Amino acid sequence: MKTFIGVDLGGTNIRAAKVDEEGNILQMVKDVSEPDKGAEHVMSKMIELIERIDGYEECEGIGMGIPGPIDTIHGKIIVSTNLPKLVGYPIVEHISKHFNKPTFIDNDVKVATLGEACLGAGKEYPIVYYVTISTGIGGALSIDKKVLSGQNGHAGEIGNICIDRNRNKYNILNVGAVENEASGTAITRKGKEVFGDTIQHAGDVFELARQKDEKALKIVDDMAYDLAMMFSAIAHVCDPHVFVVGGGVMKGKDVFFDKMEKYYRDMIHVGMQPVVFKEAMLEEPGIIGAAMLPMTKIA
Amino acid sequence: MKTFIGVDLGGTNIRAAKVDEEGNILQMVKDVSEPDKGAEHVMSKMIELIERIDGYEECEGIGMGIPGPIDTIHGKIIVSTNLPKLVGYPIVEHISKHFNKPTFIDNDVKVATLGEACLGAGKEYPIVYYVTISTGIGGALSIDKKVLSGQNGHAGEIGNICIDRNRNKYNILNVGAVENEASGTAITRKGKEVFGDTIQHAGDVFELARQKDEKALKIVDDMAYDLAMMFSAIAHVCDPHVFVVGGGVMKGKDVFFDKMEKYYRDMIHVGMQPVVFKEAMLEEPGIIGAAMLPMTKIA
């Protein structure tokens, strides 16, 4: 069976894995990324890491997933909060020259989308919209196992969709941006506003909702409606077969997901009801999806 | 040069044209569609009409554009207000058997999108989002000259996107659906509410705005903001290179379009600013786009 190398490069760690065609991780290695030491340093780290993988020479190609908007054509990072010294650096050129293998790069959410579309919860469907609800909210559209990057690498920046124009402005995002109203960060903020510092993270709000606390249930109900508005906007643009939903906030799915889906189904046309929701199923969608980049591009 | 037949089938008329590869209409013929007389009758009308085109035998294929959601795989209408007796009828099978030519069908907005993406205002761009603002509001996404239908033929039903949850419910569409707030029908309704029956259509409101009437300017400003919200939601889903905007309401573009674009650019990320707006340029996007169906599928 053919194997591929997937790399997950973040602001703290680099991880690399050998992945087979069925998405099995055969070996995984990890190191700190130390991006403050510059692009060349990170590239050396990445090369050393890949060379620690048994049989890396026989792998068919290399794929990398990196946070933020990526120029997939020129193989560069466009903008980055965590890896500012790598912006504009020819990452793909550097790595492909060193290993003499087909090498590809994309945004971390987009490679996760590719992983879920090819091998995960979306694998039986032609049109997959992947949504991750975590610290932030992001997503991507996959059509026939190809992920849409958009002109500027911003396709899927759905966290900035306004779901209610009568909210507060918190940051650079739009007033009423769904990320500021229904992400893990948002639920934590709303929980603190009501319950004070006993709330450490969104899970604490969900736990209170499980205990039928009225105020926690209100936060969760608002969140469910706000998310439904976002899913509805996406569906009217691209009418997917499936929404694959992942991210840490899904740990609270028992308290918000059914409500969300009920609100959502009232917001779409009768003819769009066949759409289904599936929970993301890959344990490591980012690294498996990164390994899928060469698999889907050179197959 | 190769030629193709494009058919525009509506509730009142059928039109058929011979179109060349550059989108020139070489001949156009027209008849009433009489859909109340049943599917077989409409099929006979369509066949007669096509056979009136000089040299129809030499055309490479046939494409049809029809309002409402279309099952492009099985060549049938899914739902139709104007052509209810044709729902479920095997239109493509019937026509392709008769003429022994490759035959395709899609929704009228989607074929217009294809026309604009292949030969019109979007032809130089890979990712085109076409929006028509007319009696209603609809659109479609084209990627590399292929139009996304969606699972249920509903991709691009953007008129149902909620742009403000604090509006009235008017019909089957969502509260705050942009079609109920910024279409030609909506502007006419709002004009009548303020100015009474002196307002016959949206153009009358635009004319008052040109004369600097404060109340008309308020209607137009709200419309511009509401449309910007819709364009922003679409852009965050698919980050297109270009929005191609058509439809009768664009006759008032001088009063609302620059405002709309200014609001819109404040609602998207800095990195998404390269997107451009172009006015739809084909005189007959529906019929030319229909003819592009066989051109793009059998080329």
Side-chain angles (χ1 to χ4, degrees):
Chain A
M1 195 179 287
K2 288 179 182 173
T3 58
F4 304 87
I5 290 170
V7 178
D8 173 29
L9 173 59
T12 309
N13 294 309
I14 317 183
R15 299 183 308 150
K18 184 161 78 169
V19 179
D20 71 18
E21 289 170 274
E22 291 174 353
N24 301 304
I25 294 180
L26 306 175
Q27 186 185 355
M28 173 124 60
V29 291
K30 181 176 163 178
D31 199 351
V32 291
S33 49
E34 301 175 332
D36 49 309
K37 294 187 179 172
E40 296 285 350
H41 180 78
V42 176
M43 290 298 105
S44 301
K45 283 267 180 189
M46 194 186 291
I47 289 168
E48 280 171 34
L49 201 62
I50 292 171
E51 291 178 346
R52 276 166 51 196
I53 293 173
D54 300 331
Y56 73 88
E57 304 94 329
E58 281 77 48
C59 291
E60 306 286 323
I62 300 166
M64 294 172 280
I66 300 181
I70 303 292
D71 178 344
T72 57
I73 309 291
H74 301 99
K76 298 173 181 181
I77 298 175
I78 301 172
V79 180
S80 179
T81 317
N82 300 322
L83 305 162
K85 291 185 179 175
L86 272 76
V87 170
Y89 187 87
I91 299 175
V92 164
E93 191 186 321
H94 192 105
I95 298 295
S96 67
K97 270 195 186 160
H98 182 90
F99 289 103
N100 195 28
K101 287 183 190 297
T103 303
F104 304 91
I105 189 176
D106 210 333
N107 165 274
D108 58 346
V109 176
K110 293 193 175 67
V111 299
T113 303
L114 185 64
E116 290 291 345
C118 289
L119 300 168
K123 73 177 176 184
E124 289 169 18
Y125 302 91
I127 309 172
V128 177
Y129 210 98
Y130 174 76
V131 173
T132 173
I133 311 170
S134 180
T135 313
I137 293 178
L141 172 63
S142 168
I143 303 170
D144 295 337
K145 316 305 176 199
K146 286 181 190 162
V147 177
L148 182 68
S149 289
Q151 173 182 197
N152 313 290
H154 283 276
E157 294 276 350
I158 52 175
N160 201 22
I161 292 177
C162 171
I163 48 76
D164 184 358
R165 55 172 82 181
N166 297 301
R167 303 280 172 104
N168 293 325
K169 175 93 178 162
Y170 292 102
N171 47 32
I172 196 174
L173 299 182
N174 283 322
V175 166
V178 68
E179 179 164 312
N180 284 340
E181 302 296 336
S183 66
T185 313
I187 299 309
T188 307
R189 184 193 76 234
K190 292 182 179 191
K192 281 180 188 288
E193 283 167 12
V194 174
F195 301 103
D197 284 342
T198 56
I199 301 297
Q200 294 294 305
H201 53 76
D204 296 333
V205 178
F206 296 147
E207 190 49 40
L208 286 167
R210 285 184 196 104
Q211 295 161 21
K212 311 292 178 203
D213 180 284
E214 288 293 329
K215 287 173 181 166
L217 285 169
K218 173 71 167 68
I219 293 173
V220 168
D221 194 61
D222 288 348
M223 173 201 186
Y225 197 88
D226 291 348
L227 286 173
M229 294 277 287
M230 175 196 74
F231 279 107
S232 166
I234 298 168
H236 288 103
V237 175
C238 60
D239 188 17
H241 291 80
V242 62
F243 281 110
V244 175
V245 189
V249 171
M250 284 298 278
K251 287 178 195 157
K253 66 181 173 183
D254 57 304
V255 296
F256 77 85
F257 208 83
D258 287 352
K259 282 185 187 189
M260 187 289 292
E261 187 171 343
K262 187 170 172 301
Y263 287 133
Y264 166 80
R265 292 195 180 276
D266 283 343
M267 295 176 186
I268 58 170
H269 290 295
V270 174
M272 296 164 74
Q273 297 294 340
V275 65
V276 292
F277 286 88
K278 299 246 179 192
E279 191 173 0
M281 55 181 274
L282 299 181
E283 264 187 60
E284 292 281 356
I287 209 154
I288 294 172
M292 293 303 101
L293 281 174
M295 189 178 108
T296 52
K297 306 242 176 176
I298 64 182
Chain B
M1 193 179 291
K2 288 179 183 172
T3 57
F4 304 87
I5 290 170
V7 178
D8 174 29
L9 173 59
T12 310
N13 293 310
I14 315 183
R15 300 183 308 150
K18 183 159 79 168
V19 180
D20 71 18
E21 289 170 275
E22 292 173 353
N24 300 304
I25 293 178
L26 306 176
Q27 186 185 356
M28 174 126 57
V29 291
K30 182 176 163 179
D31 199 351
V32 291
S33 48
E34 300 175 332
D36 50 308
K37 295 189 179 170
E40 296 285 350
H41 180 79
V42 176
M43 290 299 105
S44 301
K45 283 266 180 190
M46 194 187 291
I47 288 167
E48 280 171 35
L49 201 62
I50 292 172
E51 291 179 346
R52 275 167 50 197
I53 294 173
D54 300 330
Y56 73 89
E57 304 93 333
E58 281 77 49
C59 290
E60 305 286 323
I62 300 166
M64 294 172 279
I66 300 182
I70 302 292
D71 177 344
T72 58
I73 309 292
H74 302 100
K76 297 173 183 181
I77 298 175
I78 300 173
V79 181
S80 180
T81 317
N82 299 323
L83 304 163
K85 292 186 179 175
L86 273 76
V87 170
Y89 187 88
I91 299 174
V92 164
E93 192 186 322
H94 191 106
I95 297 296
S96 67
K97 270 194 186 158
H98 182 91
F99 289 104
N100 195 27
K101 287 182 189 296
T103 303
F104 304 90
I105 188 175
D106 209 334
N107 164 274
D108 58 345
V109 176
K110 294 192 176 65
V111 299
T113 303
L114 184 65
E116 289 292 344
C118 290
L119 300 167
K123 72 177 177 182
E124 289 170 17
Y125 303 91
I127 309 173
V128 176
Y129 210 98
Y130 174 75
V131 174
T132 173
I133 311 170
S134 181
T135 313
I137 294 178
L141 172 63
S142 167
I143 303 170
D144 295 337
K145 316 304 176 199
K146 286 180 191 164
V147 177
L148 182 68
S149 289
Q151 174 183 195
N152 314 291
H154 282 278
E157 293 276 350
I158 52 174
N160 201 21
I161 291 177
C162 171
I163 48 76
D164 184 358
R165 54 173 82 178
N166 298 300
R167 302 280 173 104
N168 295 325
K169 175 92 177 163
Y170 292 101
N171 47 31
I172 196 174
L173 298 182
N174 284 321
V175 166
V178 68
E179 179 164 311
N180 283 340
E181 302 296 336
S183 65
T185 313
I187 299 310
T188 308
R189 184 193 74 233
K190 292 181 180 193
K192 281 180 188 288
E193 283 167 12
V194 173
F195 300 105
D197 285 342
T198 56
I199 301 297
Q200 294 294 308
H201 53 76
D204 296 333
V205 177
F206 296 147
E207 191 48 42
L208 287 167
R210 285 185 197 104
Q211 295 162 20
K212 309 292 178 205
D213 180 284
E214 288 292 328
K215 288 172 181 166
L217 285 168
K218 174 71 167 67
I219 293 172
V220 167
D221 194 61
D222 289 348
M223 173 201 186
Y225 197 87
D226 291 348
L227 286 173
M229 293 278 287
M230 175 197 74
F231 279 108
S232 167
I234 298 169
H236 288 103
V237 175
C238 61
D239 188 17
H241 291 80
V242 63
F243 280 110
V244 175
V245 189
V249 171
M250 284 297 279
K251 287 178 197 157
K253 66 182 174 182
D254 58 303
V255 295
F256 77 86
F257 209 85
D258 287 352
K259 282 185 187 189
M260 188 288 293
E261 186 170 343
K262 186 171 174 302
Y263 288 132
Y264 167 81
R265 291 196 180 276
D266 283 342
M267 295 176 187
I268 58 170
H269 290 297
V270 174
M272 296 164 73
Q273 296 294 339
V275 66
V276 292
F277 287 88
K278 299 247 178 190
E279 190 173 0
M281 57 182 272
L282 299 181
E283 263 187 60
E284 292 280 357
I287 209 154
I288 293 173
M292 293 302 100
L293 281 174
M295 189 177 109
T296 53
K297 306 241 176 177
I298 62 181

